[in-house]
Amino acid sequence: MSKSILVTGGTKGIGRAIVERFAGEGFDVFTCARNKEDLAELEAFLQSNYPSINILAIQADLSKKEEVSKFVDQVKAVGIPDVLVNNTGVFLPGAIHDEPEGNFELMMQTNLYSAYYLTRGFVNEMIAKKSGHIFTMGSVAGLTAYPNGGTYAVSKWAMLGMTKCLREELKPHQIKVTSILAGATYTSSWEGVDLPIERFMKASDVAESVWAAYNLSPQSVVEELVIRPQLGDI
């Protein structure tokens, strides 16, 4: 029976790289994004390059609790993922003391609440079958405070805390929990920046790290994986 992976925000950047890496290993794919055209392009790409796998690509805005719940139900109608990657995220620059009204709520809802609700949507089934691997896509901003990124950092610190708690809770149930703490990775959000591409990590390197962490024996788990550009943070 084939394995499956659920990656939120799977049409671009790190999410897309993870989808492609696991699809290449024969995993069925569940994913979502807000843009219908991006989902259609991803689905066509996967069908063309990995015709043996099953794909469920759903339009959803996971900053909204009701859309998370709907997405969970749509996935459950097909199956329970073996791997869950909480990747959905948004970055809005600004300082805590004077950022635009609503930035805090949007980033917390998108970066943290979506992962909380989605994980709760599947974890009981994972517990019942005593298997599963949950990844949360954190950030080095969840380890170090950066100016002009206050609320984003707050959301990523909270994500790391939630992941640590999940790790402790799920130990007895043979479910692995891993926090990926990535530095600057070249994705569309960095396009146009006045830095050479070589200064950034590749999204495919992050995906390769997720794949490697997944492939450890049942006796071992990567709890936290920090990945930075070779020359350090940007």
Side-chain angles (χ1 to χ4, degrees):
M1 189 172 181
S2 62
K3 296 280 190 177
S4 62
I5 185 170
L6 189 162
V7 184
T8 60
T11 59
K12 294 181 179 179
I14 292 172
R16 172 70 175 254
I18 294 171
V19 165
E20 291 187 18
R21 184 66 180 87
F22 278 74
E25 299 291 339
F27 277 64
D28 292 335
V29 171
F30 305 115
T31 192
C32 64
R34 289 177 296 179
N35 187 287
K36 184 182 295 186
E37 288 73 25
D38 289 344
L39 286 165
E41 186 277 325
L42 173 63
E43 189 168 5
F45 174 87
L46 294 175
Q47 288 173 339
S48 174
N49 288 274
Y50 312 107
S52 65
I53 70 170
N54 297 308
I55 306 153
L56 181 68
I58 301 293
Q59 185 179 23
D61 181 353
L62 298 193
S63 69
K64 301 174 181 177
K65 182 179 179 181
E66 62 273 15
E67 295 204 26
V68 178
S69 298
K70 182 179 178 182
F71 177 58
V72 168
D73 290 341
Q74 290 170 310
V75 172
K76 281 185 173 180
V78 180
I80 303 299
D82 298 286
V83 183
L84 172 60
V85 182
N86 287 302
N87 172 70
T88 291
V90 63
F91 171 76
L92 300 173
I96 291 172
H97 71 278
D98 66 356
E99 66 185 350
E101 188 69 29
N103 276 21
F104 179 86
E105 290 81 2
L106 178 59
M107 277 189 275
M108 293 298 286
Q109 289 161 359
T110 305
N111 299 351
L112 179 66
Y113 292 3
S114 66
Y116 173 85
Y117 294 131
L118 196 76
T119 300
R120 283 169 58 88
F122 293 105
V123 74
N124 286 331
E125 286 80 4
M126 289 181 171
I127 289 172
K129 65 179 184 177
K130 292 188 176 296
S131 69
H133 199 148
I134 299 170
F135 289 88
T136 59
M137 300 307 298
S139 168
V140 293
L143 301 171
T144 306
Y146 291 96
N148 203 42
T151 291
Y152 179 78
V154 169
S155 71
K156 293 301 185 179
W157 280 78
M159 176 76 98
L160 179 57
M162 184 182 77
T163 308
K164 285 176 178 285
C165 291
L166 281 170
R167 163 68 178 139
E168 294 305 313
E169 292 176 6
L170 298 178
K171 276 180 183 178
H173 303 290
Q174 290 76 58
I175 299 168
K176 296 186 181 186
V177 182
T178 302
S179 180
I180 304 294
L181 303 162
T185 306
Y186 193 77
T187 61
S188 58
S189 61
W190 285 99
E191 288 175 359
V193 70
D194 190 23
L195 285 169
I197 293 177
E198 293 76 17
R199 185 65 179 83
F200 296 84
M201 297 192 301
K202 295 180 179 180
S204 59
D205 285 336
V206 179
E208 196 64 42
S209 298
V210 172
W211 175 250
Y214 170 74
N215 274 287
L216 296 185
S217 74
Q219 287 74 37
S220 304
V221 60
V222 176
E223 293 184 329
E224 296 171 24
L225 183 57
V226 181
I227 319 170
R228 281 189 166 94
Q230 171 59 24
L231 295 178
D233 290 333
I234 295 173

